[in-house]
Amino acid sequence: MFYWVMKRIFLGPVLKLLFRPWVKGLDNIPAEGAAIIASNHLSFSDSIFMPLMVRRPVVFLAKSEYFTGTGIKGRLTAMFFRLTNQLPMDRSGGAASEASLTAGMEVLSHGGLLGIYPEGTRSPDARLYRGKVGVARLALKAGVPVIPVAMIGTDKVQPIGKRLPNIRRIGMIFGEPLDFAKYRDQADDRVVQRQVTDQIMFELMRLSGQEYVDEYAAVVKLRLAGKPADPVVAAEPPAPPVPGGQGQGVPGKGAAGGQVPEEGKRQDDGGAAAAI
């Protein structure tokens, strides 16, 4: 009830008035049935704006730190996330991460929409980083389609470290559902999981027009903070996302300095993106 009231009556109308979000491809989200919505992650506000524009409720896997804060601010943040259909996602690996994925499976098994950020954390510099295979595991085990969505301009609305948002237009592009049913009997195959994840990331790159970086965002954040890379985070050897996940490389100049191919340049909605 809280989710519906905030979305339809209080918070939703105000946000739409202030930020005038434009949307493309909303019809790609099924009217019923389970699906995963896989998004790039530019800002804290992604988890607010995207569900606002989707007609059905979206349950997000959000980082567990949002639910464990201390003091008044920490408790209010945790309450807000719980009341807005978000579940804690433990990114430490092992049994904790497995439990988080199990929670996601529960949402899908009941026919819901599950939102997930394959990068695992916000981009530190508005580029698109390598996806983690959790999204593929969920899609393959649940046998559900994956709908890629590109958030555009939210990093300008609320840059990392900024408390008050900038009032400016944002947008989002929902791509066509990706069907991985042919791989379902290989759900536990790590190579297949990586291929599926890479295909999802390629679609996000194509829709968003972001430069792709062949590295995990979490590793880059640790390096920028002068901290050693966590072995759990950096365990998987990097490989760029490709069309169809066949390992042929990203079109253009390559992953780390990548130039997005012509067909992958940012799409807009009648020039709306130019206002962002």
Side-chain angles (χ1 to χ4, degrees), residues 22 24 40 42 126 150-156 171 173 204-211 260-269 272-276:
W22 59 269
K24 194 171 184 178
N40 60 337
L42 297 173
M151 302 299 298
I152 296 173
T154 52
D155 56 317
K156 304 295 193 302
I173 303 172
L204 289 177
M205 181 182 74
R206 186 183 67 82
L207 292 170
S208 68
Q210 288 172 276
E211 177 185 332
V260 179
E262 283 296 316
E263 64 272 20
K265 286 185 178 178
R266 177 177 296 174
Q267 304 175 38
D268 60 35
D269 186 22
I276 297 170

Side-chain angles (χ1 to χ4, degrees), residues 14-268:
V14 173
L15 291 177
K16 287 181 180 180
L17 180 65
L18 291 176
F19 296 95
R20 300 174 297 125
W22 59 269
V23 186
K24 194 171 184 178
L26 197 58
D27 290 343
N28 287 322
I29 298 177
E32 58 184 22
I36 293 173
I37 300 180
S39 175
N40 60 337
H41 199 12
L42 297 173
S43 166
F44 171 87
S45 61
D46 293 331
S47 299
I48 298 174
F49 285 116
M50 192 268 279
L52 176 65
M53 305 309 295
V54 177
R55 299 180 187 96
R56 296 174 56 190
V58 181
V59 178
F60 257 98
L61 289 178
K63 66 179 182 179
S64 58
E65 289 90 334
Y66 288 143
F67 299 83
T68 57
T70 58
I72 295 178
K73 180 181 177 182
R75 289 194 293 271
L76 288 175
T77 299
M79 182 177 68
F80 175 81
F81 273 80
R82 289 192 178 95
L83 291 174
T84 54
N85 279 7
Q86 303 199 44
L87 301 174
M89 173 69 181
D90 194 308
R91 303 175 296 175
S92 61
S97 294
E98 190 65 32
S100 298
L101 294 179
T102 300
M105 281 293 293
E106 282 289 315
V107 174
L108 296 172
S109 67
H110 287 88
L113 292 179
L114 180 69
I116 191 169
Y117 300 113
E119 293 168 277
T121 186
R122 285 176 289 176
S123 171
D125 52 17
R127 296 186 293 177
L128 183 70
Y129 284 83
R130 192 166 192 250
K132 296 188 175 184
V133 299
V135 62
R137 291 177 61 195
L138 284 167
L140 296 175
K141 286 181 178 293
V144 300
V146 177
I147 301 158
V149 55
M151 302 299 298
I152 296 173
T154 52
D155 56 317
K156 304 295 193 302
V157 167
Q158 193 169 21
I160 293 176
K162 185 177 177 62
R163 293 185 178 182
L164 296 178
N166 299 313
I167 305 300
R168 56 192 304 154
R169 200 170 193 192
I170 61 98
M172 58 203 79
I173 303 172
F174 292 87
E176 295 183 2
L178 303 174
D179 183 4
F180 300 109
K182 63 181 179 180
Y183 298 120
R184 190 170 183 184
D185 61 347
Q186 304 174 69
D188 294 320
D189 188 317
R190 190 74 176 184
V191 174
V192 173
Q193 291 173 3
R194 172 44 55 193
Q195 290 176 347
V196 168
T197 302
D198 287 348
Q199 185 174 343
I200 294 168
M201 299 312 293
F202 182 86
E203 286 301 309
L204 289 177
M205 181 182 74
R206 186 183 67 82
L207 292 170
S208 68
Q210 288 172 276
E211 177 185 332
Y212 178 77
V213 180
D214 189 15
E215 195 170 10
Y216 291 117
V219 173
V220 173
K221 285 185 173 182
L222 288 172
R223 186 166 63 243
L224 292 173
K227 300 178 181 179
D230 185 334
V232 174
V233 173
E236 196 180 357
V242 298
Q246 298 302 311
Q248 300 301 312
V250 176
K253 290 186 178 179
Q259 185 175 12
V260 179
E262 283 296 316
E263 64 272 20
K265 286 185 178 178
R266 177 177 296 174
Q267 304 175 38
D268 60 35

